[in-house]
Amino acid sequence: MNAPLNHPLPLLELDVLRTFVAIAETGSFTAASNSVFRTPSAVSMQIKKLEDQLGRPVFVRDARSVTLTSDGEMLLTYARRLLALNREAVSKFVMPDISGVVRLGSPDDFGERVLPSVLKRFAQTHPAIAVDVVIDQSANLRKRMAARQLDITLMTCTEDLTHPGVEILLTEPIVWAGAKGGCAYMREPLPVSLWEEGCAWRAAAVKALGSLGRGYRIAYMSAHTAGQRAAILADLAIAPLPKSFIADDLVELGAKDGLPELGNYRIGMAVATDASAPVKAAADHIRAAFDMFNETGRF
């Protein structure tokens, strides 16, 4: 529907477009409401206003999902461009002097699951700061940090040890993960998939199985989360994982399945003592991301 030539076109609000993009990316009004810090009803009102302005629907809703209409797909392209242009313009005035390179270390699991979304948002708010990422085991990342090869590093920490100079960002239960409908947990000896020595999840699993007196064999070993998931999904083994890693294709196993509790693990962050302004900005951004996870369960 074309607007009359003598009638001014409506101005799309960036705040409404931000909500629209959040819904398109999460596929859920509820999930989007968490990311934009609004109530679900407020999010619904924003989208109604947007659709009223455009004179056509942008989403198809049913009881289980939210999908874009063809007009919504077209709008998504424009919305992302408008939001990106706004961020670029504002950053020129709000943070004109913060630029540089940040060397960031992360374990594989969080490098795969968390960093993409965290770094995407950081790039949007700090376009003049480049982040170079190193993925490695926590023990090696500590060594790189001590050698001043990194400015910031995330690392897994055992619950019963102190780590000087490390700020704890997250404490989370470790659970046994198995394939949905799988039977690996019933086999004897128990087939487990573990990381190499020095992994906090491995240490918790070995200690718990030893305390229970449960026989086990290492059926699969990988330092990468993708490899671990492949072994679980193939029902070759079960594995210790953070509770938040349990997705729709995995199930949490426990005492009812004859398995011991594994306790908690922690994610810590170390920052160089002589941190530059870009490094401090990146560290603050990571803290905020974990704060959001602690509140909403989502990064």
Side-chain angles (χ1 to χ4, degrees):
M1 179 175 65
N2 296 323
L5 294 177
N6 61 347
H7 189 280
L9 291 173
L11 293 175
L12 298 178
E13 297 179 19
L14 292 176
D15 191 44
V16 174
L17 291 179
R18 184 168 68 102
T19 297
F20 165 72
V21 171
I23 297 169
E25 291 180 345
T26 62
S28 165
F29 274 60
T30 301
S33 69
N34 291 329
S35 65
V36 299
F37 304 103
R38 289 180 177 273
T39 64
S41 60
V43 165
S44 295
M45 289 179 63
Q46 283 187 309
I47 298 305
K48 183 179 185 305
K49 177 180 179 180
L50 177 63
E51 292 180 328
D52 287 345
Q53 281 186 307
L54 298 176
R56 58 191 70 187
V58 294
F59 288 115
V60 176
R61 308 165 180 83
D62 60 34
R64 294 186 177 181
S65 64
V66 178
T67 57
L68 289 166
T69 64
S70 58
D71 291 316
E73 291 176 355
M74 183 188 306
L75 178 63
L76 183 61
T77 300
Y78 287 111
R80 285 172 170 161
R81 286 165 56 186
L82 288 168
L83 290 169
L85 184 60
N86 177 75
R87 286 190 295 267
E88 180 182 345
V90 173
S91 67
K92 297 296 183 183
F93 297 93
V94 177
M95 294 171 294
D97 299 324
I98 303 181
S99 63
V101 177
V102 176
R103 300 168 300 173
L104 171 65
S106 173
D108 166 73
D109 46 304
F110 276 85
E112 174 187 311
R113 192 173 70 102
V114 176
L115 283 189
S117 60
V118 173
L119 294 182
K120 177 183 177 180
R121 291 195 297 269
F122 184 70
Q124 292 170 346
T125 56
H126 297 77
I129 300 177
V131 181
D132 294 341
V133 179
V134 174
I135 303 297
D136 205 342
Q137 295 180 343
S138 292
N140 294 334
L141 293 171
R142 291 188 183 93
K143 293 177 183 177
R144 289 175 183 267
M145 196 74 188
R148 302 177 68 84
Q149 297 172 354
L150 295 172
D151 302 306
I152 305 172
T153 191
L154 298 173
M155 63 186 77
T156 55
C157 304
T158 54
E159 190 177 24
D160 55 350
L161 293 177
T162 59
H163 300 271
V166 176
E167 174 185 355
I168 301 302
L169 301 176
L170 171 68
T171 299
E172 186 179 16
I174 307 172
V175 299
W176 292 106
K180 183 173 289 187
C183 59
Y185 70 94
M186 295 187 286
R187 299 181 191 135
E188 292 291 348
L190 180 69
V192 294
S193 178
L194 297 175
W195 280 249
E196 298 178 359
E197 293 288 349
C199 171
W201 307 347
R202 175 189 173 118
V206 170
K207 180 179 178 181
L209 290 172
S211 299
L212 185 66
R214 178 80 183 264
Y216 70 92
R217 66 182 180 87
I218 299 177
Y220 197 95
M221 179 177 285
S222 173
H224 302 288
T225 306
Q228 296 296 107
R229 287 180 57 82
I232 298 170
L233 292 174
D235 203 27
L236 298 175
I238 65 172
L241 289 178
K243 188 176 181 69
S244 63
F245 280 39
I246 304 298
D248 294 339
D249 49 1
L250 302 178
V251 293
E252 178 182 338
L253 305 171
K256 68 182 187 305
D257 308 299
L259 297 168
E261 292 187 3
L262 297 176
N264 297 325
Y265 84 107
R266 301 183 295 175
I267 286 293
M269 178 175 69
V271 182
T273 54
D274 57 348
S276 63
V279 171
K280 290 178 180 177
D284 286 342
H285 186 83
I286 293 170
R287 289 187 188 97
F290 276 90
D291 286 344
M292 182 172 71
F293 178 82
N294 287 325
E295 291 179 6
T296 66
R298 296 179 60 254
F299 282 102

